[in-house]
Amino acid sequence: MELCITNSTRILNLNSLNRTGPPLSVSLKNSTVEFMNQNYFNSQKLSSFSRQIHLYLHQPQFHRSPVRIFASSSSSVALGPEKDRLPADIEVTESPEPNSTVRLSVEVPEAVCKDSYKRVLNELMKQVKIPGFRPGKIPESVLVGFVGEQNVKKATVESILKRTLPHAMTSVTGRALRDSVRIVTKFSEMEKNYSSLNSLSYDVLVDVAPEVKWNPENGYKNLKIVVEIDNDIAAQQAAEEELRRRHKSLGSLKIVTDRGLQVGDIAIVDISATTIDEDESNVQKIPDAESKGFHFDTEDGDKVLPGFLDSISGIQRGETKSFRLAFPESWRQEHLRGVQAQFTVECRELFYRDLSKLDDSLAGKLLPGCTTIEQVKETLLQKCREVEQTAKDQATDNAILDQLHKMVEIDIPQSLFEEQGRQLYGAQLLQMQAGMKLNEQQLAALSSPKAVKEFLENQRENITNVIKQNLAVGDIFKRENLQFSTEDLVKEVENSIAELKQQKQEYDEDRVREQVQDILEGAKVLEWLREHAEIQYITR
């Protein structure tokens, strides 16, 4: 049933008053679903760092973490950051590529290739057993013939790559993004090169930390922010509505037998709707406005299509009413805006609420721990004021962050884009899983490489904006020499780990520390920006 009006930007949410613990999100790495306990940036609205200090923020981690180097499938060699002493220096030429990528052209001299060949033979001698020869005493020609010349060449090329790649990466140490290194020269080409020249050359592409360029320079120091606040952000009104909701929940429903519908009742109705056209052949049903067994609370009449409540006022059980209404131009669904519709409503059941008098005897039921209605009202109002202030602060932070991504120019590496996109998609998947209870087959389909790729393409702009916001915040922290106390870092890391242990979640302490550090940095940046920005609040 799509008659209800919901404000998508409503911030006050009383359900959040009792929400505890960090939410779960899904990380998609190479399209594999892995559940982790982390927070994430919403693709359009970012929550305040300072109010989410115990949660985890997906932020690029290339400054504090060692670069984990690996060869792509073209070389099939897994490499670590350790360096092996070489008998001769390799030659590395660095050249820039688009999207903050660097090409390293590596020339390996004959001396290194020969030394690697000897190492491969020595290793094979330890492992291979040939009848008639003692281990380690096998002639080279016999050993190569037994293992196969082609296999020895492949092993030698892999050895060369494993030994030389860490040396080649020296020029980008501290700049390289994790898991972004790929050898682009085909393995077959390297084999051929090695066979004919007894030397080796190959090209490596690696993504590096992108440069943040501000336009205008230092523009973040003079932000002028206009923050739109919803009308819904009114603590007094919200507290009154919450008290009414709680009071109604304590009442019982009784069947109306001697009258028609009036405000305060609850009706169970069947609703159908069609378009209006002089040519009956053009009349079409409006599926979005149809519902069977719709529970309509007349006290929520302001949240449905304007005129709907008045049109069915007085309807009795078993009665059907037909009437015309127009969807307003501000309607949520664009395809229905301005549409003239013919509605038919049948009342199946009609109830009224039998409510006890709102007095001190209900205080404990309305809000545990309270003994008087005044205490209930004061407590609800205080909570609503806290939510109201949080909503205002979050709206301010969102407006600031929205400005930041427009002020920076960043050549975003593809690996960083894909990592951030997978994190956002993983979080979206988890929300779907929580709301729809997806089975394993559905979850597998939604986490397939095709589904992830489609999300990355469809959400390219949003993902890009999130990355720009993240990097802009990190850049401001460094530019302004902002700091936070070691005590805060230690405390928040301990709190985060305690929550993870309580929920029996696996974690990496170094990763937790990095994420908490990012959150603390972000909180300091937003605090600094709020102090230095010119902020104006307007009501929608």
Side-chain angles (χ1 to χ4, degrees):
M1 172 61 185
E2 290 292 345
L3 283 177
C4 294
I5 300 174
T6 58
N7 191 334
S8 60
T9 57
R10 179 183 175 93
I11 300 177
L12 269 183
N13 180 3
L14 290 169
N15 293 329
S16 66
L17 293 175
N18 299 319
R19 187 175 301 153
T20 58
L24 286 173
S25 65
V26 182
S27 173
L28 289 165
K29 187 63 178 175
N30 297 328
S31 304
T32 300
V33 181
E34 175 186 354
F35 288 88
M36 302 188 302
N37 203 298
Q38 295 181 326
N39 185 37
Y40 62 95
F41 270 144
N42 180 276
S43 59
Q44 293 184 349
K45 292 292 184 180
L46 305 185
S47 300
S48 166
F49 291 82
S50 56
R51 282 174 300 285
Q52 307 232 3
I53 201 69
H54 66 294
L55 303 181
Y56 295 7
L57 166 68
H58 288 320
Q59 177 105 340
Q61 302 290 330
F62 43 76
H63 295 297
R64 291 180 283 281
S65 301
V67 179
R68 292 181 299 158
I69 302 173
F70 72 101
S72 68
S73 58
S74 59
S75 68
S76 71
V77 181
L79 300 175
E82 301 82 4
K83 291 182 182 178
D84 184 12
R85 175 172 291 184
L86 302 178
D89 292 334
I90 62 172
E91 183 179 337
V92 181
T93 303
E94 180 180 322
S95 55
E97 296 277 334
N99 304 118
S100 296
T101 299
V102 171
R103 179 180 291 271
L104 302 176
S105 298
V106 185
E107 297 288 342
V108 183
E110 183 177 351
V112 175
C113 293
K114 286 185 176 181
D115 188 64
S116 297
Y117 176 74
K118 290 180 181 179
R119 287 194 174 198
V120 168
L121 292 182
N122 289 336
E123 188 64 31
L124 288 173
M125 283 188 182
K126 297 177 184 178
Q127 299 177 7
V128 174
K129 294 182 180 181
I130 302 177
F133 295 95
R134 289 183 297 171
K137 300 297 183 179
I138 306 172
E140 177 181 333
S141 59
V142 174
L143 179 63
V144 173
F146 182 81
V147 175
E149 183 178 358
Q150 194 63 29
N151 291 329
V152 173
K153 287 180 181 178
K154 287 182 178 180
T156 302
V157 172
E158 290 186 353
S159 174
I160 293 170
L161 291 174
K162 183 175 182 179
R163 296 180 66 191
T164 60
L165 188 51
H167 290 270
M169 292 293 297
T170 302
S171 64
V172 292
T173 298
R175 295 187 293 147
L177 302 188
R178 292 183 300 183
D179 298 327
S180 71
V181 182
R182 57 270 191 202
I183 296 176
V184 293
T185 305
K186 292 181 179 180
F187 193 87
S188 58
E189 184 179 333
M190 287 187 280
E191 277 189 282
K192 182 179 179 181
N193 188 356
Y194 169 73
S195 298
S196 60
L197 302 175
N198 205 22
S199 62
L200 191 68
S201 61
Y202 61 92
D203 283 0
V204 177
L205 291 180
V206 56
D207 294 337
V208 296
E211 180 184 0
V212 178
K213 297 179 181 179
W214 291 90
N215 185 18
E217 180 67 23
N218 296 324
Y220 65 87
K221 294 185 177 182
N222 301 294
L223 290 178
K224 294 183 179 180
I225 304 295
V226 176
V227 183
E228 292 186 348
I229 304 296
D230 292 334
N231 289 326
D232 290 333
I233 304 180
Q236 185 66 49
Q237 179 183 348
E240 292 173 358
E241 291 179 355
E242 177 63 9
L243 178 60
R244 176 62 178 166
R245 185 191 68 78
R246 295 185 180 217
H247 186 207
K248 289 195 298 184
S249 69
L250 298 178
S252 58
L253 295 180
K254 295 188 176 181
I255 298 175
V256 176
T257 59
D258 57 352
R259 61 172 175 79
L261 178 73
Q262 62 186 30
V263 175
D265 293 341
I266 294 179
I268 299 178
V269 295
D270 290 341
I271 304 171
S272 60
T274 62
T275 58
I276 297 175
D277 197 295
E278 293 182 0
D279 186 351
E280 293 186 1
S281 63
N282 292 331
V283 173
Q284 297 179 345
K285 290 184 178 182
I286 306 177
D288 291 339
E290 295 187 348
S291 181
K292 295 289 186 181
F294 177 59
H295 287 234
F296 175 48
D297 187 340
T298 53
E299 291 191 356
D300 294 332
D302 59 337
K303 298 178 181 178
V304 298
L305 186 65
F308 183 82
L309 175 58
D310 292 338
S311 299
I312 65 170
S313 180
I315 193 172
Q316 297 189 13
R317 181 173 178 272
E319 184 181 355
T320 299
K321 284 194 174 186
S322 185
F323 50 89
R324 292 187 176 190
L325 289 177
F327 289 89
E329 293 297 334
S330 58
W331 194 250
R332 177 181 62 260
Q333 296 155 296
E334 293 185 14
H335 68 283
L336 291 179
R337 292 174 183 173
V339 172
Q340 297 285 334
Q342 183 72 36
F343 283 88
T344 300
V345 178
E346 179 186 355
C347 181
R348 293 168 51 184
E349 299 288 349
L350 189 57
F351 302 94
Y352 70 93
R353 287 190 179 89
D354 186 15
L355 299 177
S356 301
K357 183 179 179 180
L358 190 62
D359 56 26
D360 292 347
S361 64
L362 296 179
K365 294 180 180 179
L366 292 168
L367 195 62
C370 294
T371 57
T372 67
I373 291 299
E374 283 304 313
Q375 188 179 3
V376 172
K377 291 180 179 179
E378 290 175 4
T379 304
L380 288 178
L381 180 59
Q382 179 61 33
K383 288 184 177 182
C384 287
R385 282 175 175 165
E386 292 173 1
V387 174
E388 180 182 51
Q389 186 59 48
T390 298
K392 186 176 181 179
D393 291 342
Q394 287 181 345
T396 302
D397 292 345
N398 290 339
I400 290 174
L401 291 167
D402 188 57
Q403 282 276 21
L404 290 185
H405 83 77
K406 298 175 182 177
M407 301 178 69
V408 293
E409 297 176 4
I410 302 175
D411 195 13
I412 299 175
Q414 182 64 21
S415 63
L416 185 56
F417 172 82
E418 291 181 358
E419 177 188 4
Q420 182 68 70
R422 288 192 180 96
Q423 290 168 351
L424 292 175
Y425 185 61
Q428 178 177 296
L429 264 189
L430 188 69
Q431 287 182 323
M432 293 175 62
Q433 168 71 353
M436 301 172 60
K437 302 299 180 183
L438 302 174
N439 58 40
E440 290 186 7
Q441 185 176 1
Q442 291 172 320
L443 193 60
L446 289 171
S447 60
S448 66
K450 180 181 178 181
V452 176
K453 183 179 179 180
E454 288 177 354
F455 177 84
L456 294 179
E457 288 302 318
N458 294 335
Q459 296 296 320
R460 178 169 293 277
E461 182 178 355
N462 287 335
I463 297 170
T464 299
N465 290 343
V466 169
I467 294 173
K468 285 185 174 182
Q469 289 165 340
N470 290 352
L471 296 179
V473 166
D475 191 58
I476 294 172
F477 187 86
K478 291 185 295 183
R479 283 172 171 245
E480 299 303 325
N481 296 315
L482 302 178
Q483 296 180 347
F484 53 82
S485 68
T486 303
E487 291 78 8
D488 286 343
L489 177 62
V490 172
K491 179 182 177 181
E492 295 305 330
V493 169
E494 290 176 348
N495 290 343
S496 297
I497 290 177
E499 288 188 20
L500 292 170
K501 287 182 177 179
Q502 184 178 4
Q503 298 180 13
K504 298 180 179 179
Q505 296 286 329
E506 295 183 0
Y507 64 91
D508 181 304
E509 186 169 346
D510 291 336
R511 179 63 172 163
V512 172
R513 179 177 293 273
E514 289 176 356
Q515 292 171 323
V516 170
Q517 184 167 335
D518 287 330
I519 295 170
L520 291 172
E521 289 182 5
K524 283 295 181 181
V525 170
L526 284 174
E527 179 182 346
W528 188 91
L529 290 173
R530 284 195 297 270
E531 291 175 354
H532 292 79
E534 181 181 322
I535 303 175
Q536 177 186 1
Y537 294 96
I538 61 175
T539 302
R540 296 181 192 277

